[in-house]
């Protein structure tokens, strides 16, 4: 890879910090989930949610960051919990105790010369905003987000260069509660969802505008859950459906990277009777575009108009049909490294902006062997194949800023709400029933990735 390529790993506050009601923090939408992002949620937060304790990064951050430094990480993607800075979201002043925690995290990162990359909102809306205003369907929540983002930009402008406004913003289409705090969908759910999407895109653009005013050296990106949709067959109906599936993904990055809605959106809204309430100047605000396009990539997806094939798709995160040419993970996610290369090329061709790979990784059940180690050769194989695909895309001419692998350390899986579905290169002794010592153990993948970073990739330059 090119000199200065940012090798690192990615995490999220809601999956690792714990300390859910400590330091002034209040509940977020993530704390209300029961069984993952597409499951039910408990607005009274009486459920026993693993995110409430995470892997206790709140107390282990020094130990963990030292382990990240030993791995050789150049960049650490983390998120700041909105509900730790503005516990309900409506406070006039931020919670200083919450900000002080992140001050200490940045101190440790600077100590080891690790570049922070901060996601401002990673499924961490204060639950109060969801319950009181129905999340991003309300402009009050747009204002609350901008207020929160301004505090972060002003406080950390000299400590954080790379920012992302919203994690996987297109997840609003499959989980409007997680993605945008939307509780009440009403009789016309698409109206509520797309109103929330518009408001969230305006909030992102306003944040980008302000960041560039505060410090022109700060780079702000968007992030989509990427992965191409393939037609399951070459039937024209499948191909046409696939075009629309891909449009749904690109809608978000089109607006954030190009500064306007694509032509097909207006037509679709008109046909469906969707009436987006816009304030004066919204379309001008959207012209404040991001500096880079961030993506997560875990899988490709297949689309079919065949009802029998659609029925087989139930259970997958995106309800995509099974691709007969691909192997799948233990959780049924297709493994498609070539699809990763394809995605990088397609997005760079579409936007002509640098791409930052903010997540890719493999969820698996890791076990401690008799020798006391975790031999996760399956994770190494997955990452090896995907890094090679990324390097091939770089050779194709794609401008790639960096890679932050999901994840440096085990966390609660957001898709399923389990500890059992582990992504980390450091094992954490915590189980789904809450038991465990929280001891950290390096997996085989830890040493493997350390060598990748040391060699600036898998191939000779």
């Amino acid at each position: 890879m090119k000199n200065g390529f940012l090798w690192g790993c990615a995490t999220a506050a809601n999956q690792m910090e714990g300390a859910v009601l400590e330091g002034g923090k209040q509940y977020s939408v993530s704390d209300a989930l029961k069984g993952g992002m597409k499951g039910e949620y408990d607005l009274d937060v009486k459920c026993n949610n693993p995110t409430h304790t995470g892997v206790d990064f709140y107390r282990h951050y020094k130990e963990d960051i030292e382990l990240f430094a030993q791995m050789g990480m150049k960049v650490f993607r983390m998120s700041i919990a909105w509900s730790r800075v503005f516990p309900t979201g409506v406070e006039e002043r931020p919670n200083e105790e919450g900000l002080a925690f992140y001050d200490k995290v940045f101190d440790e990162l600077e100590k080891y010369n690790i570049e922070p990359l901060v996601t401002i909102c990673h499924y961490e809306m204060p639950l109060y905003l969801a319950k009181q205003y129905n999340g991003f369907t309300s402009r009050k929540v747009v204002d609350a987000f901008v207020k929160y983002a301004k505090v972060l930009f002003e406080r950390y402008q000299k400590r954080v260069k790379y920012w992302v406004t919203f994690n996987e913003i297109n997840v609003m289409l499959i989980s409007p509660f997680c993605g945008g705090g939307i509780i009440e969908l009403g009789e016309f759910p698409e109206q509520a969802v797309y109103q929330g999407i518009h408001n969230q895109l305006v909030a992102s653009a306003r944040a980008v505008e302000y960041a560039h005013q505060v410090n022109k050296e700060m780079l702000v990106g968007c992030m989509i859950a990427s992965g191409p949709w393939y037609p399951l067959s070459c039937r024209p109906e499948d191909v046409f459906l696939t075009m629309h599936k891909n449009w749904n993904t690109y809608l978000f990055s089109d607006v954030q990277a190009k500064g306007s809605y694509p032509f097909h959106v207006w037509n679709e809204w008109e046909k469906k009777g969707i009436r987006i309430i816009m304030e004066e100047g919204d379309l001008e605000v959207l012209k404040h575009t991001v500096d880079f396009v961030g993506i997560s990539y875990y899988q490709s997806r297949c689309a079919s108009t065949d009802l029998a094939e659609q029925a087989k798709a139930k259970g997958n995160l995106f309800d995509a049909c099974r691709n007969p040419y691909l192997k799948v993970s233990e959780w049924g996610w297709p493994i498609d490294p070539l699809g990763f290369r394809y995605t990088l090329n397609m997005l760079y061709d579409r936007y002509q902006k640098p791409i930052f790979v903010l997540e890719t990784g493999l969820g698996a059940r890791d076990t401690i062997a008799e020798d006391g180690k975790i031999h996760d050769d399956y994770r190494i194989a997955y990452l090896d194949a995907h890094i090679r695909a990324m390097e091939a895309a770089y050779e194709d001419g794609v401008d790639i800023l960096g890679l932050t692998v999901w994840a440096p350390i085990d966390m609660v899986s957001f898709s399923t709400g389990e500890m059992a579905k582990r992504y980390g290169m450091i094992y954490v002794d915590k189980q789904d029933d809450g038991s465990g010592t929280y001891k950290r153990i390096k997996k085989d993948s830890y040493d493997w990735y350390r060598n990748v970073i040391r060699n600036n990739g898998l191939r000779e330059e």
Side-chain angles (χ1 to χ4, degrees):
M1 299 303 291
K2 64 183 178 183
N3 291 333
F5 186 83
L6 292 169
W7 295 96
C9 293
T11 62
N14 64 79
Q15 293 166 258
M16 71 181 306
E17 279 184 9
V20 68
L21 294 178
E22 297 182 46
K25 184 184 182 299
Q26 292 296 312
Y27 290 127
S28 75
V29 293
S30 294
D31 298 317
L33 295 177
K34 297 195 296 183
M37 64 187 296
K38 291 187 73 176
E40 298 177 351
Y41 48 87
D42 176 7
L43 297 179
D44 294 324
V45 199
K46 295 176 182 176
C47 55
N48 182 21
N49 189 329
T51 65
H52 296 178
T53 52
V55 293
D56 201 19
F57 179 75
Y58 193 75
R59 293 178 179 79
H60 289 261
Y61 71 93
K62 288 187 177 181
E63 173 190 354
D64 291 342
I65 292 172
E66 183 177 3
L67 286 169
F68 301 164
Q70 291 173 11
M71 184 190 286
M73 282 170 49
K74 308 296 184 186
V75 61
F76 173 51
R77 180 183 172 224
M78 54 177 279
S79 69
I80 289 178
W82 186 351
S83 53
R84 199 175 290 286
V85 177
F86 285 96
T88 67
V90 300
E91 295 85 356
E92 288 300 317
R93 296 180 179 277
N95 171 32
E96 186 59 35
E97 190 174 357
L99 287 167
F101 167 69
Y102 295 109
D103 290 343
K104 292 184 289 187
V105 170
F106 292 137
D107 287 343
E108 289 300 304
L109 293 173
E110 288 178 6
K111 175 180 174 182
Y112 295 106
N113 198 31
I114 299 174
E115 184 92 48
L117 188 162
V118 172
T119 308
I120 298 172
C121 183
H122 194 130
Y123 307 140
E124 270 286 357
M125 175 187 293
L127 186 58
Y128 180 87
L129 294 179
K131 294 168 71 173
Q132 188 73 14
Y133 300 113
N134 202 25
F136 269 101
T137 62
S138 170
R139 296 296 289 224
K140 290 184 182 294
V141 174
V142 173
D143 293 338
F145 173 82
V146 173
K147 175 181 64 178
Y148 160 56
K150 285 181 175 180
V151 166
L152 299 188
F153 291 142
E154 290 169 2
R155 188 177 184 107
Y156 299 123
Q157 60 176 294
K158 295 183 179 179
R159 309 192 77 176
V160 179
K161 178 179 180 180
Y162 298 97
W163 300 84
V164 172
T165 51
F166 290 97
N167 177 72
E168 295 181 329
I169 190 170
N170 54 317
V171 163
M172 274 277 279
L173 288 173
I174 62 171
S175 183
F177 177 71
C178 293
I182 301 176
I183 298 170
E184 299 295 334
L185 292 172
E187 296 181 0
F188 190 6
E190 282 192 290
Q191 172 68 45
V193 170
Y194 278 102
Q195 184 66 61
I197 287 169
H198 172 74
N199 289 347
Q200 202 169 56
L201 290 168
V202 169
S204 177
R206 286 177 59 186
V208 171
E209 178 185 19
Y210 192 78
H212 290 161
Q213 291 171 357
V214 171
N215 184 346
K216 289 183 171 54
E217 298 299 313
M218 291 195 296
L219 300 178
V220 187
C222 62
M223 182 187 177
I224 58 170
S226 75
W229 284 91
Y230 305 143
L232 188 63
S233 77
C234 56
R235 292 177 67 238
E237 292 83 358
D238 285 359
V239 175
F240 194 73
L241 174 63
T242 300
M243 178 184 72
H244 281 272
K245 294 281 191 180
N246 283 313
W247 276 357
N248 283 340
T249 300
Y250 295 145
L251 157 63
F252 300 85
S253 45
D254 278 355
V255 175
Q256 293 179 287
K258 291 184 174 182
S260 62
Y261 283 107
F263 81 93
H264 59 83
V265 170
W266 302 104
N267 189 45
E268 181 181 355
W269 287 346
E270 182 68 27
K271 286 181 177 179
K272 292 182 176 180
I274 296 171
R275 300 287 184 266
I276 302 300
I277 300 171
M278 298 188 185
E279 292 191 359
E280 185 177 356
D282 276 5
L283 297 182
E284 285 298 311
V285 168
L286 293 179
K287 293 180 180 178
H288 292 280
T289 56
V290 294
D291 302 299
F292 63 88
V293 175
I295 66 168
S296 63
Y297 179 87
Y298 292 97
Q299 56 181 290
S300 56
R301 301 147 197 149
C302 282
S304 174
T305 54
D306 187 317
L307 295 180
E309 292 295 341
Q310 290 178 19
K312 296 178 186 177
K314 298 302 179 185
N316 193 297
L317 188 62
F318 285 89
D319 287 338
C321 300
R322 174 72 182 270
N323 188 328
Y325 299 101
L326 297 176
K327 295 180 179 179
V328 298
S329 74
E330 189 174 353
W331 274 266
W333 291 20
I335 298 174
D336 184 8
L338 186 56
F340 185 27
R341 180 181 180 181
Y342 173 87
T343 296
L344 290 166
N345 274 276
M346 290 295 289
L347 289 173
Y348 188 61
D349 179 63
R350 192 178 187 96
Y351 302 121
Q352 297 293 296
K353 288 179 181 281
I355 308 295
F356 211 133
V357 182
L358 299 173
E359 290 182 31
T360 191
L362 178 69
R365 298 183 191 276
D366 296 323
T367 57
I368 301 176
E370 292 183 2
D371 61 4
K373 298 180 180 180
I374 298 96
H375 303 298
D376 57 337
D377 54 301
Y378 38 86
R379 182 169 292 107
I380 293 172
Y382 178 97
L383 291 174
D384 183 280
H386 284 73
I387 289 174
R388 290 186 186 280
M390 180 187 70
E391 291 179 329
Y394 171 70
E395 293 172 1
D396 294 335
V398 179
D399 184 3
I400 309 172
L401 288 174
L403 165 68
T404 53
V405 171
W406 191 273
I409 190 168
D410 289 343
M411 295 178 286
V412 180
S413 169
F414 198 74
S415 63
T416 66
E418 300 171 281
M419 275 301 302
K421 188 181 184 185
R422 297 175 182 269
Y423 283 85
M425 291 180 273
I426 301 168
Y427 183 90
V428 179
D429 179 25
K430 182 196 173 184
Q431 313 306 321
D432 284 331
D433 63 4
S435 63
T437 64
Y438 290 89
K439 180 180 178 181
R440 273 67 167 154
I441 305 171
K442 297 174 184 177
K443 304 178 189 179
D444 287 356
S445 57
Y446 177 99
D447 293 322
W448 175 84
Y449 192 49
R450 180 173 58 190
N451 287 328
V452 171
I453 296 173
R454 181 185 297 133
N455 295 327
N456 194 31
L458 292 167
R459 299 178 178 179
E460 295 293 330
E461 291 294 319

